[in-house]
Amino acid sequence: MKNQISILGAGLIGSLLGIYLKKKGLETSIYEKRKDWRQNHTSSEGRSINMALSFRGWKALEKAGVKEKVEPFTIPMYGRRIHDEHGTTYCQPYGKDNEAIYSISRNVLNGILLDEAEKAGVNMYFEHTVEDVDVHQNVVTFSLPDQEKKQLDASVIIGSDGAFSSLRNAMQRQTRFNFSQQYISHGYKELTIPATDEGEFAMDPNALHIWPRGNFMLIALPNIDKSFTCTLFLPFEDSIVSFDKIRDDLDVIHIFQTYFNDAYQLMPNLTSEYSTNPTASLVNTECYPWTVNSCLLIGDAAHAIVPFYGQGMNCGFEDCYILNGLIEKYGTFSWDLVFEKFQKSRKPDTDAICQLAMDNFKEMSDSVSDPKFLIRKKIEAKLHELFPQEWVPLYSMVTFSDIKYSEAYAQGKIQAAVLDKVMSDPLIAQKWKNLDYHAILNKVETSKAV
Ligand SMILES: Cc1cc2nc3c(=O)[nH]c(=O)nc-3n(C[C@H](O)[C@H](O)[C@H](O)COP(=O)(O)OP(=O)(O)OC[C@H]3O[C@@H](n4cnc5c(N)ncnc54)[C@H](O)[C@@H]3O)c2cc1C
């Protein structure tokens, strides 16, 4: 009884966690409100249908023994391919050598994880919507199809039921539970660039394409069927280009011809997709504590992150990896202890990545097209090449390493302050190749010592 685990939500994080826990020999069940969608390949509720998987995610998948299952369905993206307003493109590498982030369909990845969870022996219950959780008695109330209700006495409950978690709602009724939710000014809509008539990719498949336009942008990630999923990020209102200004097909065409004309030429279904696909909002949520009694929040339920660092899923996968490590260390005699250790050690890191993701919108939508930003990136790349251990760019720390997010954040701040000074030289565009790179690195060391 003590080691019967009930996971709420069979999204990316719940299904990976199910694999981890079952492999520990724990009796594990997952309850999911949706029908089993693996047979009919519809998109997951208008959410982004492909995602960027990076180092932390891979590490967690490998530890769970599913990396090899996932690999064939991914496409490496070695850099950002920037599209300017005249249709000229250029590539900014993400890291060095073969460092890449990997595009994968959300549904395919979720399906693989669910299949593996089932194979491992996890009990799956679809069409079980959590209505409420009594976090003191450990009782979950579900609604089933046909208005039926069901109650479950659970010994350990883990909520991986996403940004609008029902377990978190129940926890919020406890005293001294902190919760904040911020909808950002921008929303998003998904669109498609299909494969060409010859069945080929219409653009370079090994890059994440960005059309940065200051306060708004379009991005595109490749799919294994040779299409691209595009995501249009716009403010909802109060801007020259915003969702509320686009009222009909002509407005859609006008915006795309004006700002994204090269993409527009590759989007035969633009207007119909624009009107059919939902406009979704983006939310950042933070809460604490993550555990009450024998209940725990994980993934987006504990920390929903805006997508501008491509880390929400990677961070949630890393949550599973870390929780698994704590179970290995402390055993399952005291879930309270494991959950307490988990929230204490992990919260500063998820706070850091939430903040970094909020900050990164400006970089993606604006700075990437600024010539000074390109020089800054080149200086950083040079520093990293000369001092691979001592200077690691913030993006690389977050994306290509498992340095704690909070350490990456702190180190990134120091490096940014040093680079701000370097970039303040009005002649930097001429001088950057011949800078005293040792002196720049020393400034970081001095700042750390202060
Ligand atoms: C536009 C966009 C792009 C993104 N791109 C990236 C990216 O490139 N890389 C990256 O790392 N992250 C990305 N993310 C973030 C990523 O999608 C999330 O962090 C990730 O999906 C979180 O997984 P989860 O399992 O915690 O929650 P979810 O994926 O939301 O899954 C929650 C599950 O719980 C179920 N559920 C909800 N309520 C109930 C209930 N009451 N009862 C039972 N079941 C319930 C849901 O049906 C769902 O299956 C992106 C997010 C967005 C919005």
Side-chain angles (χ1 to χ4, degrees):
M1 171 70 183
K2 186 171 170 292
N3 282 332
Q4 280 180 358
I5 319 289
S6 301
I7 296 176
L8 313 180
L12 296 166
I13 309 309
S15 39
L16 179 64
L17 185 63
I19 300 171
Y20 269 114
L21 296 180
K22 189 66 204 179
K23 286 191 172 175
K24 289 256 153 320
L26 301 167
E27 187 58 32
T28 306
S29 304
I30 304 184
Y31 300 87
E32 164 61 45
K33 73 175 176 186
R34 288 180 285 168
K35 276 191 181 151
D36 188 350
W37 61 93
R38 282 172 291 177
Q39 306 314 321
N40 58 4
H41 300 279
T42 55
S43 96
S44 34
E45 299 177 341
R47 305 280 306 276
S48 177
I49 62 166
N50 56 13
M51 343 255 310
L53 182 58
S54 53
F55 184 83
R56 294 166 204 267
W58 280 122
K59 185 176 159 189
L61 293 173
E62 186 169 29
K63 176 83 182 169
V66 294
K67 184 179 174 202
E68 284 73 24
K69 301 272 174 196
V70 174
E71 265 169 344
F73 298 95
T74 62
I75 299 177
M77 300 178 289
Y78 296 99
R80 301 168 166 144
R81 182 158 286 279
I82 311 296
H83 296 240
D84 74 14
E85 292 190 30
H86 310 291
T88 307
T89 74
Y90 51 94
C91 204
Q92 292 173 6
Y94 276 129
K96 36 177 209 179
D97 307 329
N98 274 333
E99 282 177 333
I101 57 176
Y102 292 79
S103 179
I104 183 162
S105 148
R106 175 193 288 273
N107 274 343
V108 167
L109 179 54
N110 209 158
I112 293 170
L113 295 177
L114 280 176
D115 287 347
E116 292 303 308
E118 252 177 1
K119 266 194 236 160
V122 173
N123 308 308
M124 302 292 316
Y125 299 91
F126 291 96
E127 297 186 87
H128 277 61
T129 302
V130 180
E131 291 290 332
D132 197 12
V133 183
D134 181 331
V135 292
H136 293 294
Q137 304 298 324
N138 274 23
V139 175
V140 186
T141 306
F142 297 100
S143 67
L144 310 186
D146 304 328
Q147 320 273 316
E148 210 187 316
K149 297 271 182 227
K150 174 169 155 185
Q151 286 205 325
L152 170 80
D153 284 317
S155 54
V156 176
I157 303 170
I158 304 186
S160 53
D161 49 349
F164 303 98
S165 165
S166 52
L167 176 59
R168 194 188 61 226
N169 281 344
M171 286 183 175
Q172 269 175 258
R173 296 197 293 270
Q174 308 307 300
T175 181
R176 306 195 65 229
F177 184 89
N178 289 314
F179 171 64
S180 70
Q181 169 174 298
Q182 185 189 356
Y183 281 98
I184 64 165
S185 53
H186 288 62
Y188 69 96
K189 191 182 277 285
E190 278 154 8
L191 303 161
T192 317
I193 292 180
T196 62
D197 291 343
E198 294 74 39
E200 291 304 324
F201 283 108
M203 305 184 294
D204 171 9
N206 293 120
L208 191 154
H209 294 258
I210 310 185
W211 291 257
R213 299 294 180 260
N215 189 29
F216 61 97
M217 66 176 166
L218 180 72
I219 67 169
L221 277 76
N223 296 309
I224 48 175
D225 68 359
K226 303 205 171 169
S227 66
F228 286 83
T229 300
C230 305
T231 312
L232 175 66
F233 292 98
L234 293 186
F236 278 102
E237 65 261 309
D238 297 333
S239 180
I240 297 171
V241 179
S242 52
F243 281 119
D244 68 337
K245 303 266 177 19
I246 303 177
R247 296 189 191 90
D248 54 27
D249 289 356
L250 286 178
D251 289 341
V252 177
I253 293 169
H254 174 69
I255 294 286
F256 271 75
Q257 282 182 333
T258 309
Y259 297 103
F260 312 118
N261 194 37
D262 59 332
Y264 172 69
Q265 304 301 327
L266 306 173
M267 301 173 93
N269 308 318
L270 173 64
T271 49
S272 62
E273 284 188 342
Y274 190 94
S275 59
T276 315
N277 294 353
T279 306
S281 53
L282 291 166
V283 70
N284 180 81
T285 66
E286 294 173 37
C287 67
Y288 203 76
W290 292 347
T291 176
V292 173
N293 199 15
S294 298
C295 304
L296 177 76
L297 299 169
I298 198 165
D300 273 19
H303 45 74
I305 300 170
V306 293
F308 306 118
Y309 231 112
Q311 282 296 308
M313 165 191 68
N314 288 291
C315 173
F317 282 174
E318 193 175 55
D319 284 354
C320 299
Y321 180 94
I322 288 172
L323 184 63
N324 182 63
L326 290 168
I327 295 171
E328 275 170 6
K329 187 166 178 192
Y330 295 104
T332 53
F333 301 107
S334 167
W335 285 101
D336 295 359
L337 174 72
V338 170
F339 290 173
E340 186 61 29
K341 294 273 179 200
F342 177 68
Q343 65 172 2
K344 281 245 164 67
S345 65
R346 190 68 176 144
K347 174 74 172 150
D349 294 318
T350 60
D351 284 352
I353 190 59
C354 280
Q355 190 57 49
L356 286 168
M358 290 288 237
D359 296 346
N360 213 42
F361 178 70
K362 187 168 163 38
E363 176 162 327
M364 277 184 87
S365 67
D366 195 8
S367 315
V368 287
S369 57
D370 178 351
K372 278 197 103 178
F373 175 84
L374 300 184
I375 293 170
R376 190 177 172 116
K377 284 282 161 196
K378 283 179 182 161
I379 295 172
E380 273 221 277
K382 180 99 183 147
L383 282 160
H384 188 35
E385 188 191 315
L386 292 171
F387 317 109
Q389 306 300 327
E390 294 85 351
W391 186 297
V392 183
L394 175 60
Y395 186 85
S396 298
M397 287 190 273
V398 169
T399 311
F400 303 127
S401 88
D402 57 358
I403 296 171
K404 281 170 155 284
Y405 286 124
S406 54
E407 283 172 25
Y409 182 85
Q411 178 71 10
K413 286 267 173 238
I414 295 172
Q415 291 177 181
V418 170
L419 277 181
D420 284 348
K421 280 211 180 107
V422 173
M423 294 302 298
S424 66
D425 182 339
L427 296 177
I428 192 66
Q430 289 86 53
K431 286 185 181 167
W432 76 267
K433 281 186 186 151
N434 302 314
L435 294 170
D436 182 347
Y437 280 92
H438 271 102
I440 298 176
L441 182 70
N442 284 341
K443 284 193 184 129
V444 170
E445 300 304 323
T446 319
S447 308
K448 277 195 212 158
V450 172

